[in-house]
Amino acid sequence: MELKFIPYTLQLKHTFTVSSYSRNTTPSVLLKITHKGVSGYGEASLPQYLGETQESVLDFLKKVDLQNFTEPLDLNSILNYLDNLSEGNNAAKAAVDIALHDLMSKLAGVPLYDYLRLENPSHLFTSFTLGIDSAEKLKQKIEEAEGFKYYKVKLGSENDKQIINTIHSLTDVWLFVDVNQGWEDKFYAIDMIYWLKERNVLLIEQPLPAEKIDDIAWLTEKSPLHVLADEGVKRLSDLEAVKGVYSGVNIKLMKSTGINEALKMIEKAKEFGMKVMIGCMTETSCAVKAAAHISAQADWIDLDGPLLISNDPFEGLPYNDGKIILNDGPGIGVNLKTGLFD
Ligand code: MG
């Protein structure tokens, strides 16, 4: 198996602002694994707050030697080998995991969801993300996202109520609210949640800083809306640690080290009685469509990453009024538009 990788910078269509920072680009690394003339693609998307960089991903990938593995079907051994190469590096590990899944399902000649014996998730609608913005910008973005059934609204600024009132005056679609740890106080948070419940909001993601475990558990118990972990849960072991603290979890391939562990997390979360959202970072169609393939069991999906970037190097992920369409082609089902790896 031959491994190739290149750094790539995702250009965002709009400045993206959440409670703690703004950005216009997201660094990433694209990866290709070729076996018997067939190539699988993967990607590591690297938003700053997760601590990985293009440099750290390239350093990790340079250490990966797949020569000892003759078949991509030897997935568990390969992923164990990767995980033992170093701590962390979750997105770098995800890039290899995604490419291997693409490759294996291509070699089998079936779509990835079928290869994994999962249901076709094409009945699901994704949310469209609205970062923290002025009323004018929010209006423009809502016009761009016409037809979507859900918006994911970023809160955690001084203008939270104003943002919701602006959106509420423009549209009556359902809202997911993501605070990105931006509220500090549990009493303020519960008041806000009751206020939001009256304004089409369905759930609250990461309302308080992840380390405030007791306050989050208190909030979840009192909240009339589901309280989801995002920053508070990356991998399977984190999920075990927050059983009973949140009532749901946002699972993302870049946090979970890829598809293999994300599937285990979905199963475990359901076992714990937690709701599941499948989410993404700003990513290309490759990783986002990979996540879509494992989404049939999710309660909600937030897979709009490619819609937020202007230079997606892959094609093959159409959105039909917010519905992700998976074709019957083999693998993840995306094609590289350019000869980036040549
Ligand atoms: Mg989030």
Side-chain angles (χ1 to χ4, degrees), residues 76 236 239 259-269:
N76 283 329
L236 185 62
L239 190 58
I259 292 165
N260 192 57
E261 191 159 318
L263 287 169
K264 291 179 187 165
M265 291 178 74
I266 295 171
E267 200 182 321
K268 184 62 81 179

Side-chain angles (χ1 to χ4, degrees), residues 217-229:
W218 178 92
L219 190 62
T220 299
E221 201 196 325
K222 302 237 173 332
S223 173
L225 299 176
H226 281 291
V227 176
L228 273 62

Side-chain angles (χ1 to χ4, degrees), residues 288-299:
V288 168
K289 197 167 180 184
H293 278 271
I294 64 161
S295 292
Q297 298 298 316
D299 297 285

Side-chain angles (χ1 to χ4, degrees), residues 208-219:
L208 298 171
E211 62 273 15
K212 293 196 169 183
I213 295 282
D214 292 343
D215 287 355
I216 296 167
W218 178 92
L219 190 62

